[in-house]
């Protein structure tokens, strides 16, 4: 069955994007997801507290260097969580090559050389526009699914306005 995402009803409002996922694009989407889940400040505060603990151990006296290193590593880990997610997501999608995505009144259909995926609008809770992409956030409680539509994948810069209007008709801005 080779339908390549053509099972959606394409209308005159179909907007096509052609792009390869980049580290910067995925990191931007992960940060949007983190802000939406209100995890940015807790992560920063936890990193700061762990760093303060390491500094207190250093200036507090006879603390083994291994204890200080553990607290420093924990602080770096909490700070780096979005970067770790980005690394793993990029490993999943980078080898798939070029994505050809079509956004229609029915939803978003993405195709590459290895797979095709059609997502109805009901899958998403809303979207956020950032400087170089539109980030669609899934409806599930933990916002586990994020779809990124990079603006540089559009063939015409005016398509960004058309895409924004189409997204506004089906999703709310977050």
């Amino acid at each position: 069955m080779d339908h390549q995402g053509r099972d959606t009803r394409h209308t005159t409002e179909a907007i096509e994007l052609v792009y390869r996922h980049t580290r910067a694009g995925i990191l931007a989407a992960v940060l949007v997801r983190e802000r939406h889940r209100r995890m940015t400040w807790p992560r920063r505060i936890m990193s700061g507290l762990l760093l303060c603990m390491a500094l207190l151990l250093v200036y507090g006296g006879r603390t083994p260097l291994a204890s200080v290193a553990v607290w420093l590593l924990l602080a770096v880990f909490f700070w780096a969580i979005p970067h770790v997610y980005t690394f793993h997501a990029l490993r999943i999608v980078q080898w798939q090559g070029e994505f050809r995505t079509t956004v229609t009144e029915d939803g978003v259909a993405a195709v590459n050389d290895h797979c095709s995926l059609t997502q109805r609008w009901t899958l998403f809770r809303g979207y956020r526009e950032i400087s170089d992409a539109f980030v669609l956030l899934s409806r599930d409680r933990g916002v586990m699914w994020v779809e990124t539509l990079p603006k540089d994948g559009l063939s015409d810069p005016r398509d960004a306005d058309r895409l924004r209007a189409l997204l506004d008709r089906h999703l709310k801005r977050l």
Side-chain angles (χ1 to χ4, degrees), residues 9-150:
R9 173 178 37 106
H10 294 297
T11 63
T12 57
E13 285 295 314
I15 300 164
E16 296 188 5
L17 299 94
V18 178
Y19 57 91
R20 288 182 180 270
H21 285 287
T22 63
R23 183 184 185 293
I26 292 175
L27 179 60
V30 168
L31 292 175
V32 165
R33 174 184 174 262
E34 184 177 83
R35 277 191 298 271
H36 180 75
R37 294 178 66 207
R38 294 183 174 94
M39 295 302 293
T40 302
W41 281 106
R43 182 179 54 80
R44 289 177 181 173
I45 290 169
M46 191 63 172
S47 296
L49 289 173
L50 291 167
L51 182 61
C52 287
M53 185 63 185
L55 292 174
L56 284 173
L57 289 175
V58 167
Y59 292 112
R62 301 178 175 192
T63 304
L65 188 58
S67 296
V68 175
V70 167
W71 289 101
L72 283 174
L73 286 174
L74 284 172
V76 168
F77 173 75
F78 270 91
W79 173 82
I81 286 173
H83 300 277
V84 172
Y85 285 157
T86 299
F87 172 77
H88 288 289
L90 189 60
R91 284 186 59 201
I92 291 169
V93 297
Q94 191 174 36
W95 68 270
Q96 296 176 21
E98 185 175 83
F99 281 74
R100 296 168 300 285
T101 301
T102 304
V103 183
T104 67
E105 292 294 332
D106 293 331
V108 180
V111 177
N112 63 42
D113 292 338
H114 304 282
C115 66
S116 65
L117 175 65
T118 301
Q119 304 161 95
R120 307 286 181 218
W121 292 117
T122 55
L123 176 69
F124 302 107
R125 75 174 59 216
Y127 80 97
R128 181 166 293 165
E129 182 177 358
I130 56 176
S131 62
D132 56 346
F134 295 93
V135 179
L136 286 60
L137 300 169
S138 68
R139 187 174 297 281
D140 63 286
R141 182 179 170 150
V143 189
M144 296 305 292
W145 185 263
V146 176
E147 178 70 38
T148 306
L149 302 173

Side-chain angles (χ1 to χ4, degrees), residues 133-171:
F134 295 93
V135 179
L136 286 60
L137 300 169
S138 68
R139 187 174 297 281
D140 63 286
R141 182 179 170 150
V143 189
M144 296 305 292
W145 185 263
V146 176
E147 178 70 38
T148 306
L149 302 173
K151 292 178 183 177
D152 63 358
L154 296 165
S155 60
D156 184 0
R158 292 181 302 229
D159 284 344
D161 294 330
R162 290 180 49 225
L163 181 56
R164 187 178 303 107
L166 184 59
L167 292 173
D168 284 337
R169 279 197 300 275
H170 296 282
L171 302 173

